[in-house]
Coordinates of all heavy atoms in Angstrom, one line a residue:
K1 N -9.1 46.2 -27.6 CA -9.6 47.2 -28.7 C -8.5 48.1 -29.0 O -8.3 48.6 -30.1 CB -10.9 47.9 -28.3 CG -12.1 47.0 -28.3 CD -13.3 47.8 -28.1 CE -14.5 47.0 -27.8 NZ -15.0 46.0 -28.7
V2 N -7.8 48.6 -27.9 CA -6.6 49.5 -28.0 C -5.3 48.8 -27.8 O -5.1 48.2 -26.7 CB -6.9 50.7 -27.1 CG1 -5.7 51.7 -27.2 CG2 -8.1 51.4 -27.3
L3 N -4.5 48.9 -28.8 CA -3.1 48.3 -28.7 C -2.2 49.4 -29.2 O -2.5 50.2 -30.1 CB -2.9 47.1 -29.6 CG -3.6 45.8 -29.1 CD1 -3.4 44.7 -30.3 CD2 -2.8 45.3 -27.8
P4 N -0.9 49.4 -28.7 CA 0.0 50.3 -29.3 C 0.2 50.1 -30.7 O 0.0 48.9 -31.2 CB 1.3 50.1 -28.5 CG 0.9 49.2 -27.3 CD -0.4 48.5 -27.7
K5 N 0.5 51.1 -31.5 CA 0.8 50.9 -33.0 C 2.0 50.1 -33.2 O 2.1 49.0 -33.8 CB 0.8 52.3 -33.7 CG 1.3 52.2 -35.1 CD 0.2 51.9 -36.0 CE 0.6 52.1 -37.5 NZ 0.3 51.0 -38.2
A6 N 3.1 50.5 -32.6 CA 4.4 49.9 -32.8 C 5.0 49.5 -31.5 O 4.8 50.2 -30.4 CB 5.3 50.9 -33.5
G7 N 5.9 48.5 -31.5 CA 6.5 48.1 -30.2 C 6.9 46.7 -30.2 O 7.2 46.1 -31.2
I8 N 7.0 46.1 -29.0 CA 7.5 44.8 -28.7 C 6.3 44.0 -28.2 O 5.4 44.5 -27.5 CB 8.5 44.9 -27.5 CG1 9.7 45.8 -27.9 CG2 9.0 43.5 -27.1 CD1 10.4 45.3 -29.1
Y9 N 6.3 42.7 -28.6 CA 5.3 41.7 -28.1 C 6.0 40.5 -27.5 O 7.1 40.2 -28.0 CB 4.3 41.4 -29.2 CG 4.9 40.8 -30.4 CD1 5.1 39.4 -30.6 CD2 5.3 41.6 -31.5 CE1 5.6 38.9 -31.7 CE2 5.8 41.1 -32.6 CZ 6.0 39.7 -32.8 OH 6.6 39.2 -33.9
L10 N 5.4 39.9 -26.6 CA 5.9 38.7 -25.9 C 4.9 37.6 -25.8 O 3.8 37.8 -25.3 CB 6.4 39.1 -24.5 CG 6.8 38.0 -23.5 CD1 8.1 37.3 -24.1 CD2 7.1 38.5 -22.2
F11 N 5.3 36.4 -26.4 CA 4.4 35.3 -26.2 C 4.9 34.4 -25.1 O 6.0 34.1 -25.0 CB 4.4 34.4 -27.5 CG 3.6 34.9 -28.6 CD1 4.1 35.6 -29.7 CD2 2.2 34.5 -28.7 CE1 3.4 36.0 -30.7 CE2 1.4 35.0 -29.8 CZ 2.0 35.7 -30.7
S12 N 4.0 34.0 -24.2 CA 4.3 33.2 -23.1 C 3.3 32.1 -22.9 O 2.1 32.3 -23.2 CB 4.3 34.0 -21.8 OG 5.2 35.2 -21.9
N13 N 3.8 31.0 -22.4 CA 2.9 29.9 -22.1 C 2.9 29.7 -20.6 O 3.9 29.2 -20.1 CB 3.4 28.6 -22.8 CG 2.4 27.5 -22.8 OD1 1.2 27.7 -22.4 ND2 2.7 26.4 -23.3
G14 N 1.9 30.2 -19.9 CA 1.9 30.3 -18.5 C 3.0 31.3 -18.1 O 3.1 32.5 -18.6
E15 N 3.9 30.9 -17.3 CA 5.0 31.7 -16.8 C 6.3 31.6 -17.6 O 7.3 32.2 -17.4 CB 5.3 31.5 -15.3 CG 4.2 31.9 -14.4 CD 3.9 33.4 -14.5 OE1 4.8 34.2 -14.5 OE2 2.7 33.7 -14.6
Q16 N 6.2 30.7 -18.6 CA 7.4 30.4 -19.5 C 7.3 31.4 -20.7 O 6.4 31.3 -21.6 CB 7.4 29.0 -19.9 CG 8.6 28.7 -20.7 CD 8.7 27.3 -21.3 OE1 7.6 26.5 -21.3 NE2 9.8 26.8 -21.7
H17 N 8.3 32.3 -20.7 CA 8.3 33.3 -21.8 C 9.0 32.6 -23.0 O 10.2 32.2 -22.8 CB 9.0 34.6 -21.3 CG 8.4 35.1 -20.1 ND1 7.1 35.5 -20.1 CD2 8.8 35.2 -18.8 CE1 6.8 36.0 -18.9 NE2 7.8 35.8 -18.1
L18 N 8.4 32.6 -24.2 CA 8.9 31.9 -25.3 C 9.5 32.6 -26.4 O 10.5 32.2 -27.0 CB 7.7 31.0 -25.8 CG 7.2 30.0 -24.8 CD1 6.0 29.3 -25.4 CD2 8.2 29.0 -24.3
Y19 N 8.8 33.7 -26.8 CA 9.2 34.4 -28.1 C 8.9 35.9 -27.9 O 7.9 36.3 -27.5 CB 8.5 33.8 -29.2 CG 8.8 34.4 -30.6 CD1 9.9 34.1 -31.2 CD2 8.0 35.4 -31.1 CE1 10.3 34.6 -32.5 CE2 8.3 35.9 -32.4 CZ 9.4 35.6 -33.0 OH 9.8 36.1 -34.3
V20 N 9.9 36.7 -28.3 CA 9.8 38.1 -28.4 C 9.9 38.7 -29.8 O 10.7 38.1 -30.6 CB 10.9 38.8 -27.6 CG1 10.7 40.3 -27.5 CG2 11.1 38.2 -26.2
G21 N 9.1 39.6 -30.1 CA 9.1 40.1 -31.5 C 8.9 41.7 -31.4 O 8.6 42.2 -30.4
R22 N 9.2 42.3 -32.5 CA 9.0 43.7 -32.6 C 8.4 44.0 -34.0 O 8.5 43.2 -34.9 CB 10.3 44.4 -32.6 CG 11.3 44.2 -33.7 CD 12.6 44.9 -33.4 NE 13.6 44.6 -34.4 CZ 14.0 45.5 -35.3 NH1 13.5 46.7 -35.3 NH2 14.9 45.2 -36.3
T23 N 7.6 45.1 -34.0 CA 6.9 45.4 -35.2 C 6.4 46.9 -35.2 O 6.4 47.5 -34.1 CB 5.6 44.6 -35.4 OG1 5.0 44.8 -36.6 CG2 4.7 44.7 -34.2
N24 N 6.1 47.4 -36.4 CA 5.5 48.8 -36.4 C 4.0 48.7 -36.5 O 3.4 49.7 -36.7 CB 6.2 49.5 -37.6 CG 7.6 49.9 -37.3 OD1 7.9 50.2 -36.2 ND2 8.4 50.0 -38.4
S25 N 3.4 47.5 -36.5 CA 2.1 47.3 -36.5 C 1.7 46.1 -35.6 O 1.5 45.0 -36.2 CB 1.5 47.1 -37.9 OG 0.2 47.0 -38.0
I26 N 1.5 46.3 -34.3 CA 1.4 45.2 -33.4 C 0.1 44.3 -33.7 O 0.2 43.1 -33.8 CB 1.3 45.7 -31.9 CG1 2.7 46.1 -31.5 CG2 0.8 44.6 -31.0 CD1 2.9 46.7 -30.2
R27 N -1.0 45.0 -33.9 CA -2.2 44.2 -34.2 C -2.1 43.3 -35.5 O -2.4 42.1 -35.4 CB -3.5 45.2 -34.3 CG -4.8 44.4 -34.6 CD -6.0 45.4 -34.6 NE -6.1 46.2 -33.4 CZ -6.7 45.7 -32.3 NH1 -7.1 44.5 -32.2 NH2 -6.8 46.5 -31.2
K28 N -1.6 43.9 -36.5 CA -1.4 43.2 -37.7 C -0.4 42.1 -37.6 O -0.7 40.9 -38.0 CB -1.0 44.1 -38.9 CG -0.8 43.5 -40.2 CD -0.3 44.4 -41.2 CE 0.0 43.8 -42.5 NZ 0.6 44.7 -43.5
R29 N 0.7 42.3 -36.8 CA 1.7 41.3 -36.7 C 1.2 40.1 -35.8 O 1.4 38.9 -36.1 CB 3.0 41.8 -36.0 CG 4.1 40.8 -35.9 CD 4.6 40.5 -37.4 NE 5.6 39.4 -37.4 CZ 5.3 38.3 -37.8 NH1 4.2 37.9 -38.4 NH2 6.3 37.4 -37.8
L30 N 0.4 40.4 -34.8 CA -0.2 39.3 -33.9 C -1.2 38.5 -34.8 O -1.2 37.3 -34.7 CB -0.9 39.9 -32.7 CG 0.0 40.5 -31.7 CD1 -0.8 41.1 -30.6 CD2 1.1 39.5 -31.2
Q31 N -1.9 39.2 -35.7 CA -2.8 38.4 -36.6 C -2.0 37.5 -37.5 O -2.4 36.4 -37.8 CB -3.7 39.4 -37.3 CG -4.7 40.2 -36.5 CD -5.4 41.3 -37.3 OE1 -4.9 41.8 -38.3 NE2 -6.5 41.7 -36.7
Q32 N -0.9 38.0 -38.0 CA -0.1 37.2 -38.9 C 0.4 35.9 -38.2 O 0.5 34.9 -38.8 CB 1.1 38.0 -39.5 CG 0.7 39.0 -40.4 CD 1.8 40.0 -40.8 OE1 2.7 40.2 -40.0 NE2 1.7 40.5 -42.0
H33 N 0.8 36.1 -36.9 CA 1.3 34.9 -36.1 C 0.2 33.9 -35.9 O 0.5 32.8 -35.9 CB 1.8 35.4 -34.8 CG 3.3 35.9 -34.7 ND1 4.4 35.0 -35.1 CD2 3.8 37.1 -34.5 CE1 5.5 35.7 -35.0 NE2 5.2 36.9 -34.7
C34 N -1.0 34.4 -35.6 CA -2.0 33.5 -35.0 C -3.1 33.0 -35.9 O -3.8 32.0 -35.6 CB -2.6 34.3 -33.8 SG -1.4 34.6 -32.5
R35 N -3.4 33.7 -36.9 CA -4.6 33.4 -37.8 C -4.4 32.0 -38.4 O -3.2 31.7 -38.9 CB -4.9 34.4 -38.8 CG -5.6 35.6 -38.2 CD -6.1 36.5 -39.4 NE -7.0 37.5 -38.8 CZ -7.2 38.7 -39.4 NH1 -6.6 38.9 -40.5 NH2 -7.9 39.5 -38.8
S36 N -5.4 31.3 -38.5 CA -5.3 29.9 -39.1 C -4.9 29.9 -40.5 O -4.1 29.0 -40.9 CB -6.6 29.1 -38.9 OG -7.6 29.8 -39.6
G37 N -5.1 31.0 -41.3 CA -4.8 31.0 -42.7 C -3.4 31.6 -42.9 O -3.0 31.8 -44.1

């Protein structure tokens, strides 16, 4: 429910770290990456 507004995010598959991104709106950016539409 609570996420930082701006910062760095890291996608990992298990212990394998795959992709790092940065944004000024973490929640919105994660939604853009993951939503089916």
Side-chain angles (χ1 to χ4, degrees):
K1 290 186 191 302
V2 177
L3 284 172
K5 171 84 172 127
I8 301 298
Y9 56 91
L10 170 64
F11 280 98
S12 305
N13 196 3
E15 295 300 313
Q16 185 182 16
H17 305 298
L18 300 174
Y19 182 78
V20 183
R22 67 185 176 106
T23 182
N24 287 328
S25 180
I26 289 177
R27 182 175 302 280
K28 180 179 176 185
R29 187 68 187 110
L30 292 176
Q31 291 170 341
Q32 290 172 330
H33 274 295
C34 297
R35 282 194 172 151
S36 58

